[in-house]
PDB file of all heavy atoms in Angstrom:
ATOM      1  N   THR A   1      55.032  35.453 -77.789  1.00  0.00           N
ATOM      2  CA  THR A   1      55.209  34.731 -79.132  1.00  0.00           C
ATOM      3  C   THR A   1      56.384  33.688 -78.932  1.00  0.00           C
ATOM      4  O   THR A   1      57.335  33.954 -78.126  1.00  0.00           O
ATOM      5  CB  THR A   1      55.907  35.813 -80.089  1.00  0.00           C
ATOM      6  OG1 THR A   1      54.885  36.851 -80.174  1.00  0.00           O
ATOM      7  CG2 THR A   1      56.211  35.399 -81.432  1.00  0.00           C
ATOM      8  N   TYR A   2      56.162  32.563 -79.503  1.00  0.00           N
ATOM      9  CA  TYR A   2      57.012  31.411 -79.327  1.00  0.00           C
ATOM     10  C   TYR A   2      57.770  31.164 -80.626  1.00  0.00           C
ATOM     11  O   TYR A   2      57.071  31.220 -81.724  1.00  0.00           O
ATOM     12  CB  TYR A   2      56.282  30.280 -78.811  1.00  0.00           C
ATOM     13  CG  TYR A   2      55.731  30.532 -77.412  1.00  0.00           C
ATOM     14  CD1 TYR A   2      54.289  30.565 -77.266  1.00  0.00           C
ATOM     15  CD2 TYR A   2      56.610  30.571 -76.289  1.00  0.00           C
ATOM     16  CE1 TYR A   2      53.786  30.827 -75.972  1.00  0.00           C
ATOM     17  CE2 TYR A   2      56.001  30.748 -75.012  1.00  0.00           C
ATOM     18  CZ  TYR A   2      54.655  30.833 -74.891  1.00  0.00           C
ATOM     19  OH  TYR A   2      54.024  31.065 -73.728  1.00  0.00           O
ATOM     20  N   THR A   3      59.036  30.761 -80.584  1.00  0.00           N
ATOM     21  CA  THR A   3      59.706  30.356 -81.707  1.00  0.00           C
ATOM     22  C   THR A   3      59.905  28.726 -81.511  1.00  0.00           C
ATOM     23  O   THR A   3      60.718  28.453 -80.639  1.00  0.00           O
ATOM     24  CB  THR A   3      61.082  31.042 -81.994  1.00  0.00           C
ATOM     25  OG1 THR A   3      60.783  32.442 -82.191  1.00  0.00           O
ATOM     26  CG2 THR A   3      61.804  30.392 -83.146  1.00  0.00           C
ATOM     27  N   LEU A   4      59.201  27.999 -82.216  1.00  0.00           N
ATOM     28  CA  LEU A   4      59.187  26.468 -82.022  1.00  0.00           C
ATOM     29  C   LEU A   4      60.238  25.826 -82.899  1.00  0.00           C
ATOM     30  O   LEU A   4      60.332  26.107 -84.028  1.00  0.00           O
ATOM     31  CB  LEU A   4      57.860  25.939 -82.213  1.00  0.00           C
ATOM     32  CG  LEU A   4      56.758  26.614 -81.358  1.00  0.00           C
ATOM     33  CD1 LEU A   4      55.425  25.869 -81.738  1.00  0.00           C
ATOM     34  CD2 LEU A   4      56.956  26.573 -79.892  1.00  0.00           C
ATOM     35  N   THR A   5      60.977  24.977 -82.199  1.00  0.00           N
ATOM     36  CA  THR A   5      61.978  24.134 -82.986  1.00  0.00           C
ATOM     37  C   THR A   5      61.868  22.687 -82.434  1.00  0.00           C
ATOM     38  O   THR A   5      61.482  22.499 -81.253  1.00  0.00           O
ATOM     39  CB  THR A   5      63.372  24.629 -82.931  1.00  0.00           C
ATOM     40  OG1 THR A   5      63.908  24.458 -81.636  1.00  0.00           O
ATOM     41  CG2 THR A   5      63.459  26.174 -83.362  1.00  0.00           C
ATOM     42  N   GLY A   6      62.442  21.818 -83.223  1.00  0.00           N
ATOM     43  CA  GLY A   6      62.580  20.508 -82.668  1.00  0.00           C
ATOM     44  C   GLY A   6      63.920  20.578 -81.612  1.00  0.00           C
ATOM     45  O   GLY A   6      64.343  21.636 -81.474  1.00  0.00           O
ATOM     46  N   PRO A   7      64.200  19.391 -81.076  1.00  0.00           N
ATOM     47  CA  PRO A   7      65.340  19.295 -80.191  1.00  0.00           C
ATOM     48  C   PRO A   7      66.721  19.268 -80.734  1.00  0.00           C
ATOM     49  O   PRO A   7      67.706  19.294 -80.061  1.00  0.00           O
ATOM     50  CB  PRO A   7      65.012  18.085 -79.285  1.00  0.00           C
ATOM     51  CG  PRO A   7      64.346  17.218 -80.349  1.00  0.00           C
ATOM     52  CD  PRO A   7      63.477  18.060 -81.219  1.00  0.00           C
ATOM     53  N   GLU A   8      66.825  19.157 -82.069  1.00  0.00           N
ATOM     54  CA  GLU A   8      68.115  19.032 -82.698  1.00  0.00           C
ATOM     55  C   GLU A   8      68.234  19.576 -84.109  1.00  0.00           C
ATOM     56  O   GLU A   8      67.221  19.833 -84.698  1.00  0.00           O
ATOM     57  CB  GLU A   8      68.422  17.496 -82.760  1.00  0.00           C
ATOM     58  CG  GLU A   8      67.375  16.828 -83.639  1.00  0.00           C
ATOM     59  CD  GLU A   8      67.322  15.318 -83.310  1.00  0.00           C
ATOM     60  OE1 GLU A   8      68.378  14.743 -82.820  1.00  0.00           O
ATOM     61  OE2 GLU A   8      66.266  14.662 -83.635  1.00  0.00           O
ATOM     62  N   LEU A   9      69.406  20.128 -84.459  1.00  0.00           N
ATOM     63  CA  LEU A   9      69.494  20.584 -85.761  1.00  0.00           C
ATOM     64  C   LEU A   9      69.855  19.466 -86.700  1.00  0.00           C
ATOM     65  O   LEU A   9      70.818  18.681 -86.431  1.00  0.00           O
ATOM     66  CB  LEU A   9      70.742  21.719 -85.807  1.00  0.00           C
ATOM     67  CG  LEU A   9      70.450  23.028 -85.062  1.00  0.00           C
ATOM     68  CD1 LEU A   9      71.735  23.815 -85.112  1.00  0.00           C
ATOM     69  CD2 LEU A   9      69.251  23.733 -85.706  1.00  0.00           C
ATOM     70  N   LEU A  10      69.100  19.336 -87.780  1.00  0.00           N
ATOM     71  CA  LEU A  10      69.329  18.244 -88.732  1.00  0.00           C
ATOM     72  C   LEU A  10      69.335  18.732 -90.105  1.00  0.00           C
ATOM     73  O   LEU A  10      68.523  19.536 -90.546  1.00  0.00           O
ATOM     74  CB  LEU A  10      68.132  17.228 -88.500  1.00  0.00           C
ATOM     75  CG  LEU A  10      67.938  16.526 -87.207  1.00  0.00           C
ATOM     76  CD1 LEU A  10      66.705  15.688 -87.256  1.00  0.00           C
ATOM     77  CD2 LEU A  10      69.002  15.629 -86.990  1.00  0.00           C
ATOM     78  N   SER A  11      70.401  18.236 -90.827  1.00  0.00           N
ATOM     79  CA  SER A  11      70.450  18.641 -92.278  1.00  0.00           C
ATOM     80  C   SER A  11      69.453  17.705 -93.000  1.00  0.00           C
ATOM     81  O   SER A  11      68.966  16.698 -92.517  1.00  0.00           O
ATOM     82  CB  SER A  11      71.876  18.362 -92.779  1.00  0.00           C
ATOM     83  OG  SER A  11      72.126  16.955 -92.656  1.00  0.00           O
ATOM     84  N   THR A  12      69.265  17.986 -94.279  1.00  0.00           N
ATOM     85  CA  THR A  12      68.513  17.111 -95.060  1.00  0.00           C
ATOM     86  C   THR A  12      68.988  15.709 -95.081  1.00  0.00           C
ATOM     87  O   THR A  12      68.211  14.667 -94.903  1.00  0.00           O
ATOM     88  CB  THR A  12      68.193  17.755 -96.497  1.00  0.00           C
ATOM     89  OG1 THR A  12      67.610  18.973 -96.424  1.00  0.00           O
ATOM     90  CG2 THR A  12      67.367  16.725 -97.381  1.00  0.00           C
ATOM     91  N   PRO A  13      70.283  15.554 -95.256  1.00  0.00           N
ATOM     92  CA  PRO A  13      70.750  14.069 -95.272  1.00  0.00           C
ATOM     93  C   PRO A  13      70.614  13.447 -93.923  1.00  0.00           C
ATOM     94  O   PRO A  13      70.300  12.275 -93.806  1.00  0.00           O
ATOM     95  CB  PRO A  13      72.326  14.271 -95.572  1.00  0.00           C
ATOM     96  CG  PRO A  13      72.343  15.564 -96.372  1.00  0.00           C
ATOM     97  CD  PRO A  13      71.256  16.512 -95.795  1.00  0.00           C
ATOM     98  N   ASP A  14      70.711  14.259 -92.821  1.00  0.00           N
ATOM     99  CA  ASP A  14      70.486  13.696 -91.489  1.00  0.00           C
ATOM    100  C   ASP A  14      68.994  13.132 -91.464  1.00  0.00           C
ATOM    101  O   ASP A  14      68.680  12.035 -90.842  1.00  0.00           O
ATOM    102  CB  ASP A  14      70.669  14.672 -90.419  1.00  0.00           C
ATOM    103  CG  ASP A  14      72.055  15.121 -90.238  1.00  0.00           C
ATOM    104  OD1 ASP A  14      73.030  14.387 -90.565  1.00  0.00           O
ATOM    105  OD2 ASP A  14      72.228  16.297 -89.738  1.00  0.00           O
ATOM    106  N   GLN A  15      68.012  13.967 -91.898  1.00  0.00           N
ATOM    107  CA  GLN A  15      66.690  13.611 -91.812  1.00  0.00           C
ATOM    108  C   GLN A  15      66.335  12.334 -92.590  1.00  0.00           C
ATOM    109  O   GLN A  15      65.709  11.417 -92.319  1.00  0.00           O
ATOM    110  CB  GLN A  15      65.699  14.753 -92.316  1.00  0.00           C
ATOM    111  CG  GLN A  15      65.789  15.913 -91.398  1.00  0.00           C
ATOM    112  CD  GLN A  15      64.981  17.090 -91.973  1.00  0.00           C
ATOM    113  OE1 GLN A  15      63.993  16.914 -92.541  1.00  0.00           O
ATOM    114  NE2 GLN A  15      65.597  18.293 -91.843  1.00  0.00           N
ATOM    115  N   VAL A  16      67.040  12.268 -93.807  1.00  0.00           N
ATOM    116  CA  VAL A  16      66.754  11.151 -94.696  1.00  0.00           C
ATOM    117  C   VAL A  16      67.390   9.824 -94.110  1.00  0.00           C
ATOM    118  O   VAL A  16      66.795   8.814 -94.189  1.00  0.00           O
ATOM    119  CB  VAL A  16      67.406  11.416 -96.097  1.00  0.00           C
ATOM    120  CG1 VAL A  16      67.442  10.088 -96.960  1.00  0.00           C
ATOM    121  CG2 VAL A  16      66.589  12.509 -96.836  1.00  0.00           C
ATOM    122  N   SER A  17      68.586  10.017 -93.499  1.00  0.00           N
ATOM    123  CA  SER A  17      69.114   8.887 -92.705  1.00  0.00           C
ATOM    124  C   SER A  17      68.247   8.274 -91.685  1.00  0.00           C
ATOM    125  O   SER A  17      68.050   7.132 -91.516  1.00  0.00           O
ATOM    126  CB  SER A  17      70.481   9.342 -92.049  1.00  0.00           C
ATOM    127  OG  SER A  17      70.982   8.200 -91.442  1.00  0.00           O
ATOM    128  N   LEU A  18      67.523   9.172 -90.885  1.00  0.00           N
ATOM    129  CA  LEU A  18      66.549   8.775 -89.785  1.00  0.00           C
ATOM    130  C   LEU A  18      65.373   8.015 -90.567  1.00  0.00           C
ATOM    131  O   LEU A  18      64.945   7.063 -90.019  1.00  0.00           O
ATOM    132  CB  LEU A  18      66.123   9.935 -89.059  1.00  0.00           C
ATOM    133  CG  LEU A  18      67.200  10.524 -88.211  1.00  0.00           C
ATOM    134  CD1 LEU A  18      66.623  11.901 -87.624  1.00  0.00           C
ATOM    135  CD2 LEU A  18      67.582   9.550 -87.076  1.00  0.00           C
ATOM    136  N   LEU A  19      64.878   8.607 -91.659  1.00  0.00           N
ATOM    137  CA  LEU A  19      63.770   7.954 -92.403  1.00  0.00           C
ATOM    138  C   LEU A  19      64.242   6.542 -92.945  1.00  0.00           C
ATOM    139  O   LEU A  19      63.429   5.598 -92.776  1.00  0.00           O
ATOM    140  CB  LEU A  19      63.398   8.811 -93.597  1.00  0.00           C
ATOM    141  CG  LEU A  19      62.574  10.044 -93.243  1.00  0.00           C
ATOM    142  CD1 LEU A  19      62.358  10.973 -94.465  1.00  0.00           C
ATOM    143  CD2 LEU A  19      61.298   9.745 -92.596  1.00  0.00           C
ATOM    144  N   ARG A  20      65.475   6.430 -93.330  1.00  0.00           N
ATOM    145  CA  ARG A  20      65.989   5.199 -93.905  1.00  0.00           C
ATOM    146  C   ARG A  20      65.884   4.143 -92.718  1.00  0.00           C
ATOM    147  O   ARG A  20      65.458   3.029 -92.860  1.00  0.00           O
ATOM    148  CB  ARG A  20      67.322   5.248 -94.338  1.00  0.00           C
ATOM    149  CG  ARG A  20      67.472   5.910 -95.762  1.00  0.00           C
ATOM    150  CD  ARG A  20      68.970   5.798 -96.110  1.00  0.00           C
ATOM    151  NE  ARG A  20      69.178   6.672 -97.278  1.00  0.00           N
ATOM    152  CZ  ARG A  20      70.098   7.646 -97.439  1.00  0.00           C
ATOM    153  NH1 ARG A  20      70.864   7.904 -96.497  1.00  0.00           N
ATOM    154  NH2 ARG A  20      70.147   8.307 -98.595  1.00  0.00           N
ATOM    155  N   LYS A  21      66.327   4.538 -91.625  1.00  0.00           N
ATOM    156  CA  LYS A  21      66.399   3.639 -90.445  1.00  0.00           C
ATOM    157  C   LYS A  21      64.989   3.252 -89.970  1.00  0.00           C
ATOM    158  O   LYS A  21      64.782   2.022 -89.743  1.00  0.00           O
ATOM    159  CB  LYS A  21      67.259   4.267 -89.245  1.00  0.00           C
ATOM    160  CG  LYS A  21      68.691   4.458 -89.515  1.00  0.00           C
ATOM    161  CD  LYS A  21      69.290   5.131 -88.311  1.00  0.00           C
ATOM    162  CE  LYS A  21      70.836   5.471 -88.800  1.00  0.00           C
ATOM    163  NZ  LYS A  21      71.459   6.332 -87.748  1.00  0.00           N
ATOM    164  N   ALA A  22      64.091   4.113 -89.958  1.00  0.00           N
ATOM    165  CA  ALA A  22      62.872   3.808 -89.500  1.00  0.00           C
ATOM    166  C   ALA A  22      62.064   2.978 -90.416  1.00  0.00           C
ATOM    167  O   ALA A  22      61.238   2.180 -90.033  1.00  0.00           O
ATOM    168  CB  ALA A  22      62.058   5.178 -89.221  1.00  0.00           C
ATOM    169  N   HIS A  23      62.284   3.188 -91.715  1.00  0.00           N
ATOM    170  CA  HIS A  23      61.579   2.397 -92.755  1.00  0.00           C
ATOM    171  C   HIS A  23      62.301   1.218 -93.364  1.00  0.00           C
ATOM    172  O   HIS A  23      61.718   0.434 -93.979  1.00  0.00           O
ATOM    173  CB  HIS A  23      61.157   3.369 -93.891  1.00  0.00           C
ATOM    174  CG  HIS A  23      60.333   4.581 -93.337  1.00  0.00           C
ATOM    175  ND1 HIS A  23      59.145   4.332 -92.784  1.00  0.00           N
ATOM    176  CD2 HIS A  23      60.651   5.872 -93.106  1.00  0.00           C
ATOM    177  CE1 HIS A  23      58.532   5.526 -92.346  1.00  0.00           C
ATOM    178  NE2 HIS A  23      59.525   6.461 -92.551  1.00  0.00           N
ATOM    179  N   GLY A  24      63.568   1.089 -93.017  1.00  0.00           N
ATOM    180  CA  GLY A  24      64.266  -0.103 -93.543  1.00  0.00           C
ATOM    181  C   GLY A  24      64.467  -0.205 -94.944  1.00  0.00           C
ATOM    182  O   GLY A  24      64.595  -1.313 -95.472  1.00  0.00           O
ATOM    183  N   ARG A  25      64.484   0.912 -95.580  1.00  0.00           N
ATOM    184  CA  ARG A  25      64.704   0.825 -97.103  1.00  0.00           C
ATOM    185  C   ARG A  25      65.479   2.178 -97.562  1.00  0.00           C
ATOM    186  O   ARG A  25      65.635   3.044 -96.808  1.00  0.00           O
ATOM    187  CB  ARG A  25      63.333   0.772 -97.785  1.00  0.00           C
ATOM    188  CG  ARG A  25      62.512   1.971 -97.587  1.00  0.00           C
ATOM    189  CD  ARG A  25      61.202   1.738 -98.451  1.00  0.00           C
ATOM    190  NE  ARG A  25      60.531   3.011 -98.511  1.00  0.00           N
ATOM    191  CZ  ARG A  25      59.187   3.188 -98.343  1.00  0.00           C
ATOM    192  NH1 ARG A  25      58.497   2.155 -98.058  1.00  0.00           N
ATOM    193  NH2 ARG A  25      58.718   4.332 -98.342  1.00  0.00           N
ATOM    194  N   GLN A  26      65.925   2.102 -98.822  1.00  0.00           N
ATOM    195  CA  GLN A  26      66.713   3.188 -99.292  1.00  0.00           C
ATOM    196  C   GLN A  26      65.729   4.344 -99.665  1.00  0.00           C
ATOM    197  O   GLN A  26      64.709   4.154-100.286  1.00  0.00           O
ATOM    198  CB  GLN A  26      67.512   2.679-100.563  1.00  0.00           C
ATOM    199  CG  GLN A  26      68.640   1.839-100.298  1.00  0.00           C
ATOM    200  CD  GLN A  26      69.684   2.612 -99.425  1.00  0.00           C
ATOM    201  OE1 GLN A  26      70.017   3.771 -99.679  1.00  0.00           O
ATOM    202  NE2 GLN A  26      70.246   1.930 -98.337  1.00  0.00           N
ATOM    203  N   ILE A  27      66.173   5.552 -99.290  1.00  0.00           N
ATOM    204  CA  ILE A  27      65.550   6.799 -99.664  1.00  0.00           C
ATOM    205  C   ILE A  27      66.613   7.705-100.149  1.00  0.00           C
ATOM    206  O   ILE A  27      67.635   7.843 -99.476  1.00  0.00           O
ATOM    207  CB  ILE A  27      64.891   7.313 -98.478  1.00  0.00           C
ATOM    208  CG1 ILE A  27      63.772   6.361 -97.856  1.00  0.00           C
ATOM    209  CG2 ILE A  27      64.103   8.684 -98.864  1.00  0.00           C
ATOM    210  CD1 ILE A  27      63.157   6.758 -96.502  1.00  0.00           C
ATOM    211  N   GLY A  28      66.430   8.266-101.294  1.00  0.00           N
ATOM    212  CA  GLY A  28      67.328   9.173-101.898  1.00  0.00           C
ATOM    213  C   GLY A  28      67.085  10.527-101.674  1.00  0.00           C
ATOM    214  O   GLY A  28      66.034  11.010-101.345  1.00  0.00           O
ATOM    215  N   ILE A  29      68.158  11.407-102.045  1.00  0.00           N
ATOM    216  CA  ILE A  29      67.946  12.760-101.992  1.00  0.00           C
ATOM    217  C   ILE A  29      68.212  13.332-103.506  1.00  0.00           C
ATOM    218  O   ILE A  29      69.197  12.908-104.034  1.00  0.00           O
ATOM    219  CB  ILE A  29      68.948  13.518-101.013  1.00  0.00           C
ATOM    220  CG1 ILE A  29      68.702  13.051 -99.693  1.00  0.00           C
ATOM    221  CG2 ILE A  29      68.861  14.993-101.090  1.00  0.00           C
ATOM    222  CD1 ILE A  29      69.793  13.469 -98.658  1.00  0.00           C
ATOM    223  N   VAL A  30      67.414  14.318-103.929  1.00  0.00           N
ATOM    224  CA  VAL A  30      67.645  14.864-105.210  1.00  0.00           C
ATOM    225  C   VAL A  30      67.781  16.353-105.090  1.00  0.00           C
ATOM    226  O   VAL A  30      66.974  16.987-104.431  1.00  0.00           O
ATOM    227  CB  VAL A  30      66.399  14.710-106.221  1.00  0.00           C
ATOM    228  CG1 VAL A  30      66.605  15.413-107.495  1.00  0.00           C
ATOM    229  CG2 VAL A  30      66.202  13.226-106.436  1.00  0.00           C
ATOM    230  N   ASP A  31      68.945  16.851-105.300  1.00  0.00           N
ATOM    231  CA  ASP A  31      69.382  18.268-105.176  1.00  0.00           C
ATOM    232  C   ASP A  31      68.851  19.024-106.530  1.00  0.00           C
ATOM    233  O   ASP A  31      69.392  18.855-107.490  1.00  0.00           O
ATOM    234  CB  ASP A  31      70.813  18.482-105.030  1.00  0.00           C
ATOM    235  CG  ASP A  31      71.193  19.950-104.668  1.00  0.00           C
ATOM    236  OD1 ASP A  31      70.291  20.674-104.254  1.00  0.00           O
ATOM    237  OD2 ASP A  31      72.372  20.247-104.784  1.00  0.00           O
ATOM    238  N   VAL A  32      67.784  19.838-106.330  1.00  0.00           N
ATOM    239  CA  VAL A  32      67.169  20.542-107.472  1.00  0.00           C
ATOM    240  C   VAL A  32      67.775  21.927-107.391  1.00  0.00           C
ATOM    241  O   VAL A  32      67.595  22.694-106.403  1.00  0.00           O
ATOM    242  CB  VAL A  32      65.689  20.557-107.342  1.00  0.00           C
ATOM    243  CG1 VAL A  32      65.144  21.390-108.532  1.00  0.00           C
ATOM    244  CG2 VAL A  32      65.055  19.179-107.376  1.00  0.00           C
ATOM    245  N   PRO A  33      68.597  22.389-108.425  1.00  0.00           N
ATOM    246  CA  PRO A  33      69.163  23.654-108.453  1.00  0.00           C
ATOM    247  C   PRO A  33      68.017  24.719-108.248  1.00  0.00           C
ATOM    248  O   PRO A  33      66.826  24.493-108.808  1.00  0.00           O
ATOM    249  CB  PRO A  33      69.815  23.656-109.867  1.00  0.00           C
ATOM    250  CG  PRO A  33      70.153  22.339-110.206  1.00  0.00           C
ATOM    251  CD  PRO A  33      68.930  21.501-109.588  1.00  0.00           C
ATOM    252  N   LEU A  34      68.257  25.875-107.675  1.00  0.00           N
ATOM    253  CA  LEU A  34      67.311  26.882-107.461  1.00  0.00           C
ATOM    254  C   LEU A  34      66.718  27.377-108.653  1.00  0.00           C
ATOM    255  O   LEU A  34      65.405  27.610-108.802  1.00  0.00           O
ATOM    256  CB  LEU A  34      67.898  27.987-106.637  1.00  0.00           C
ATOM    257  CG  LEU A  34      68.148  27.633-105.265  1.00  0.00           C
ATOM    258  CD1 LEU A  34      68.805  28.874-104.598  1.00  0.00           C
ATOM    259  CD2 LEU A  34      67.072  27.043-104.413  1.00  0.00           C
ATOM    260  N   ASP A  35      67.469  27.605-109.782  1.00  0.00           N
ATOM    261  CA  ASP A  35      66.851  28.068-111.020  1.00  0.00           C
ATOM    262  C   ASP A  35      65.837  27.011-111.588  1.00  0.00           C
ATOM    263  O   ASP A  35      64.861  27.337-112.169  1.00  0.00           O
ATOM    264  CB  ASP A  35      67.918  28.491-112.029  1.00  0.00           C
ATOM    265  CG  ASP A  35      68.871  27.309-112.369  1.00  0.00           C
ATOM    266  OD1 ASP A  35      69.132  26.415-111.531  1.00  0.00           O
ATOM    267  OD2 ASP A  35      69.322  27.252-113.616  1.00  0.00           O
ATOM    268  N   VAL A  36      66.193  25.785-111.434  1.00  0.00           N
ATOM    269  CA  VAL A  36      65.322  24.716-111.970  1.00  0.00           C
ATOM    270  C   VAL A  36      64.032  24.654-111.107  1.00  0.00           C
ATOM    271  O   VAL A  36      62.900  24.606-111.688  1.00  0.00           O
ATOM    272  CB  VAL A  36      65.933  23.352-111.985  1.00  0.00           C
ATOM    273  CG1 VAL A  36      64.953  22.284-112.295  1.00  0.00           C
ATOM    274  CG2 VAL A  36      67.098  23.333-112.888  1.00  0.00           C
ATOM    275  N   ALA A  37      64.192  24.796-109.742  1.00  0.00           N
ATOM    276  CA  ALA A  37      62.891  24.748-108.919  1.00  0.00           C
ATOM    277  C   ALA A  37      62.101  25.948-109.187  1.00  0.00           C
ATOM    278  O   ALA A  37      60.841  25.867-109.301  1.00  0.00           O
ATOM    279  CB  ALA A  37      63.385  24.752-107.544  1.00  0.00           C
ATOM    280  N   ARG A  38      62.730  27.120-109.372  1.00  0.00           N
ATOM    281  CA  ARG A  38      61.895  28.405-109.745  1.00  0.00           C
ATOM    282  C   ARG A  38      61.208  28.099-111.066  1.00  0.00           C
ATOM    283  O   ARG A  38      59.936  28.426-111.065  1.00  0.00           O
ATOM    284  CB  ARG A  38      62.828  29.482-109.872  1.00  0.00           C
ATOM    285  CG  ARG A  38      62.049  30.879-110.089  1.00  0.00           C
ATOM    286  CD  ARG A  38      63.166  31.993-110.274  1.00  0.00           C
ATOM    287  NE  ARG A  38      62.543  33.272-110.388  1.00  0.00           N
ATOM    288  CZ  ARG A  38      61.904  33.773-111.404  1.00  0.00           C
ATOM    289  NH1 ARG A  38      61.841  33.134-112.457  1.00  0.00           N
ATOM    290  NH2 ARG A  38      61.335  34.940-111.327  1.00  0.00           N
ATOM    291  N   ARG A  39      61.839  27.664-112.048  1.00  0.00           N
ATOM    292  CA  ARG A  39      61.154  27.379-113.315  1.00  0.00           C
ATOM    293  C   ARG A  39      59.930  26.466-113.141  1.00  0.00           C
ATOM    294  O   ARG A  39      58.942  26.541-113.696  1.00  0.00           O
ATOM    295  CB  ARG A  39      62.179  26.840-114.397  1.00  0.00           C
ATOM    296  CG  ARG A  39      61.544  26.752-115.743  1.00  0.00           C
ATOM    297  CD  ARG A  39      62.539  26.267-116.855  1.00  0.00           C
ATOM    298  NE  ARG A  39      62.675  24.762-116.611  1.00  0.00           N
ATOM    299  CZ  ARG A  39      63.831  24.235-116.287  1.00  0.00           C
ATOM    300  NH1 ARG A  39      64.948  25.054-116.129  1.00  0.00           N
ATOM    301  NH2 ARG A  39      63.970  22.966-116.121  1.00  0.00           N
ATOM    302  N   GLN A  40      60.205  25.358-112.471  1.00  0.00           N
ATOM    303  CA  GLN A  40      59.121  24.296-112.125  1.00  0.00           C
ATOM    304  C   GLN A  40      57.944  24.913-111.488  1.00  0.00           C
ATOM    305  O   GLN A  40      56.844  24.620-111.796  1.00  0.00           O
ATOM    306  CB  GLN A  40      59.692  23.172-111.438  1.00  0.00           C
ATOM    307  CG  GLN A  40      60.730  22.358-112.288  1.00  0.00           C
ATOM    308  CD  GLN A  40      61.280  21.146-111.434  1.00  0.00           C
ATOM    309  OE1 GLN A  40      61.392  21.281-110.147  1.00  0.00           O
ATOM    310  NE2 GLN A  40      61.875  20.170-112.080  1.00  0.00           N
ATOM    311  N   LEU A  41      58.167  25.806-110.474  1.00  0.00           N
ATOM    312  CA  LEU A  41      57.055  26.371-109.872  1.00  0.00           C
ATOM    313  C   LEU A  41      56.204  27.242-110.794  1.00  0.00           C
ATOM    314  O   LEU A  41      54.995  27.285-110.786  1.00  0.00           O
ATOM    315  CB  LEU A  41      57.614  27.336-108.693  1.00  0.00           C
ATOM    316  CG  LEU A  41      58.018  26.513-107.416  1.00  0.00           C
ATOM    317  CD1 LEU A  41      58.693  27.462-106.506  1.00  0.00           C
ATOM    318  CD2 LEU A  41      56.782  25.806-106.836  1.00  0.00           C
TER     319      LEU A  41
END
């Protein structure tokens, strides 16, 4: 049994920063509170 991961620990802001660099444009993050996300589901 294998536990697969990428080579680095990245937060959501870290991931978005990498996307911004790769795409050359602004990408935002929206923090959705858990109770709101639950209700939306």
Side-chain angles (χ1 to χ4, degrees):
T1 301
Y2 299 106
T3 299
L4 305 179
T5 71
E8 56 202 340
L9 291 176
L10 298 171
S11 67
T12 299
D14 293 337
Q15 293 174 41
V16 171
S17 177
L18 292 170
L19 287 170
R20 283 184 191 126
K21 289 176 187 171
H23 302 292
R25 65 177 192 226
Q26 285 299 316
I27 301 171
I29 298 173
V30 175
D31 186 18
V32 179
L34 293 180
D35 60 324
V36 173
R38 182 182 191 283
R39 186 180 74 244
Q40 289 174 338
L41 285 170

